[in-house]
Amino acid sequence: RAPTDNDFGNGMPVKLGIWRNAYVNRSVKNVEVEEKNDDGVKITIHYFLNDVGVPYMLVYLIKNDASIQITASIDMTGKKLSELPRFGMRMQLPPTYDRLNYYGRGPWENYSDRNTSAFIGKYTGMVEDQYAENYIRPQESGNKTDVRWLKVTDKDGMGIQVEGIQPICFSAINHSSEDLDPGLTKKQQHPINLKPRHEVYLNIDLKQRGVGGDNSWGALPHQQYRLLDDKYTYSYILRLVNSQ
């Protein structure tokens, strides 16, 4: 994830920096396509993330109703790696997918350790309003937690729906994580210097590291809000929607 000011205070960009591009240098070890059955067709892809030396697996279950159940898993057993800043997936959507509808915590941004003032309910809004512009510097923002489902659609109600098999968190903004990440040191820029992109960047996550805030000069997020396990897996269903 893009670092926050609190993350810079506790050294996260350097200490967790190995994950910044861990997805880039990956190898496909095996692809398994099973026979169609009553559930659909299952395709399993076994990756190896070369820079961190761990396996990563994606399972696509293409169901008979044309929806796709996606399961992502990572296994870091036996590896002495820094904690994950985020475990999830992301996609880029066309600019016309600018409407948001979801059931989870809102309406403002919230994180695992900063969400008790955001209540679970059904919320709607525009993608262009999801990024928080009230920080001095551009940084990670716009996340929603405890989400059961979300829809990102165009003005005619056509788009995609994501349904978590377990609660998920997500963000849908007009900035990529790379846009918001200045690197290993703070960059002296302000939100007005960061022009929104036309595309929609949708992150669909199991969870991400808490933002902390006990202080901004070294304190880590509390233990229960950090990603310290050796294994993570989660699933969600992706389907097309059309309100017409």
Side-chain angles (χ1 to χ4, degrees):
R1 77 171 189 199
T4 66
D5 278 346
N6 289 341
D7 290 329
F8 275 109
N10 60 50
M12 184 270 260
V14 174
K15 295 175 181 176
L16 279 61
I18 192 172
W19 294 110
R20 179 176 278 105
N21 296 304
Y23 68 96
V24 176
N25 182 19
R26 65 186 185 274
S27 302
V28 177
K29 296 301 182 180
N30 191 33
V31 178
E32 303 167 5
V33 182
E34 300 182 13
E35 293 290 333
K36 184 178 183 299
N37 57 33
D38 291 342
D39 294 325
V41 177
K42 181 185 290 187
I43 302 172
T44 304
I45 307 173
H46 298 270
Y47 291 99
F48 192 77
L49 305 181
N50 296 294
D51 290 347
V52 291
V54 299
Y56 178 78
M57 185 174 69
L58 286 177
V59 179
Y60 296 93
L61 176 59
I62 304 174
K63 298 189 173 186
N64 296 323
D65 64 356
S67 65
I68 304 174
Q69 180 171 319
I70 301 169
T71 302
S73 305
I74 193 170
D75 186 351
M76 299 170 285
T77 303
K79 299 291 183 179
K80 293 183 178 180
L81 296 168
S82 58
E83 66 180 285
L84 286 168
R86 178 204 300 265
F87 183 67
M89 302 175 73
R90 66 175 181 174
M91 66 180 73
Q92 181 177 317
L93 301 174
T96 51
Y97 285 24
D98 59 356
R99 268 81 171 167
L100 179 63
N101 184 356
Y102 73 96
Y103 182 70
R105 290 191 182 270
W108 40 76
E109 67 170 12
N110 53 91
Y111 291 80
S112 60
D113 57 349
R114 291 290 183 274
N115 67 5
T116 54
S117 67
F119 298 103
I120 293 177
K122 184 177 178 181
Y123 298 97
T124 60
M126 302 295 292
V127 168
E128 64 182 359
D129 298 325
Q130 303 308 306
Y131 175 68
E133 297 182 336
N134 55 341
Y135 296 115
I136 294 176
R137 275 183 285 270
Q139 55 191 283
E140 160 66 35
S141 78
N143 188 65
K144 311 294 191 303
T145 62
D146 288 335
V147 174
R148 276 57 171 177
W149 57 261
L150 66 106
K151 296 179 183 179
V152 186
T153 61
D154 63 14
K155 60 182 178 60
D156 297 318
M158 299 181 65
I160 63 170
Q161 175 176 308
V162 179
E163 178 185 342
I165 300 300
Q166 69 296 291
I168 57 177
C169 56
F170 84 96
S171 64
I173 61 176
N174 295 120
H175 299 289
S176 68
S177 296
E178 289 80 2
D179 291 340
L180 303 173
D181 185 357
L184 299 181
T185 59
K186 291 181 180 180
K187 187 176 181 180
Q188 298 306 319
Q189 65 175 0
H190 302 286
I192 195 172
N193 305 127
L194 189 67
K195 301 301 180 184
R197 294 179 182 267
H198 297 294
E199 298 81 9
V200 176
Y201 293 88
L202 175 63
N203 286 290
I204 306 167
D205 304 328
L206 172 63
K207 60 176 67 175
Q208 63 168 284
R209 191 187 202 227
V211 294
D214 287 1
N215 64 50
S216 295
W217 51 88
L220 294 169
H222 293 191
Q223 187 89 354
Q224 65 268 35
Y225 304 119
R226 298 169 61 193
L227 277 66
L228 300 171
D229 293 340
D230 290 331
K231 297 180 181 181
Y232 288 98
T233 185
Y234 82 126
S235 302
Y236 61 90
I237 297 173
L238 187 66
R239 69 178 83 245
L240 297 176
V241 294
N242 183 354
S243 65
Q244 295 180 330

